[in-house]
Amino acid sequence: MNLAAGWLVPYALGIAWGQGAFTSRRAAVGLLAGGTAGAVALVAGFGYPASMVGVTGAKVSNLSPPTLAAVCFGIAQVGLALLLRGPLTRLMRRPPLWAAVAMVNLSAMAIFLWHQTALLVTVLVALRFGDLPGLLTSPAEPVWLLQRLAWLPVLALLLVLGLLPGMLRASFNDRASSSS
């Protein structure tokens, strides 16, 4: 039952939006406020984990199986997306910004796949050095978040190094086909 609710509630909200529901700002604010209030109440008052994804050392994950806190968080995200749709649509009318987003989007699947490879390589190398703060440790203290964020440059560098050969190959192939 958790699996169906966890994934189908945001999916159903998306279908409803696609069919013309949630056109008012009030509906979007309601989803955002209600989902946020529900998630905060469940985390603060009922012991649900604050992280909506699994983290090293956590006893419970909000995604395996999806919990009510994850459902509330999903509802809040739908509300936020509805609120941001108008401003983002206006921003995307600027050709340079649209072009930048389009270029990144061309690599979206590669980025999605390679980010896990970058994380795996980082973890496998880090295992040789013991429990490195923020990477292989449990989120037991508030400083953990800062320690976790400190790993982002390492992961970003490995991601770029993983993507670079494919991007160069694609660029070379594009040039070769346009010159022939």
Side-chain angles (χ1 to χ4, degrees):
M1 189 59 137
N2 289 31
L3 196 60
W7 298 117
L8 289 179
V9 169
Y11 178 76
L13 290 173
I15 289 174
W17 171 72
Q19 294 178 344
F22 311 123
T23 56
S24 73
R25 183 169 171 81
R26 175 179 277 172
V29 169
L31 288 169
L32 176 59
T36 301
V40 168
L42 290 167
V43 169
F46 294 94
Y48 284 80
S51 173
M52 292 298 138
V53 296
V55 293
T56 305
K59 294 177 184 168
V60 177
S61 168
N62 276 314
L63 291 182
S64 185
T67 65
L68 188 54
V71 173
C72 289
F73 189 70
I75 291 169
Q77 286 181 316
V78 169
L80 181 61
L82 291 170
L83 287 172
L84 292 176
R85 182 176 184 266
L88 290 176
T89 299
R90 287 188 293 281
L91 277 174
M92 289 300 105
R93 288 188 188 126
R94 297 177 181 173
L97 189 54
W98 178 87
V101 171
M103 287 301 292
V104 170
N105 195 42
L106 290 174
S107 300
M109 185 54 77
I111 292 169
F112 172 73
L113 295 172
W114 275 102
H115 91 279
Q116 286 296 317
T117 305
L119 178 61
L120 181 64
V121 167
T122 303
V123 167
L124 289 175
V125 170
L127 281 171
R128 298 175 152 281
F129 300 101
D131 287 342
L132 295 177
L135 186 64
L136 301 174
T137 56
S138 175
E141 299 173 14
V143 72
W144 178 86
L145 181 59
L146 295 174
Q147 294 167 337
R148 185 71 158 209
L149 291 173
W151 285 100
L152 284 179
V154 173
L155 298 172
L157 176 65
L158 286 174
L159 178 60
V160 168
L161 290 174
L163 290 172
L164 202 54
M167 291 167 52
L168 293 173
R169 193 170 33 257
S171 176
F172 176 77
N173 290 341
D174 286 346
R175 279 191 230 141
S177 65
S178 66
S179 65
S180 51

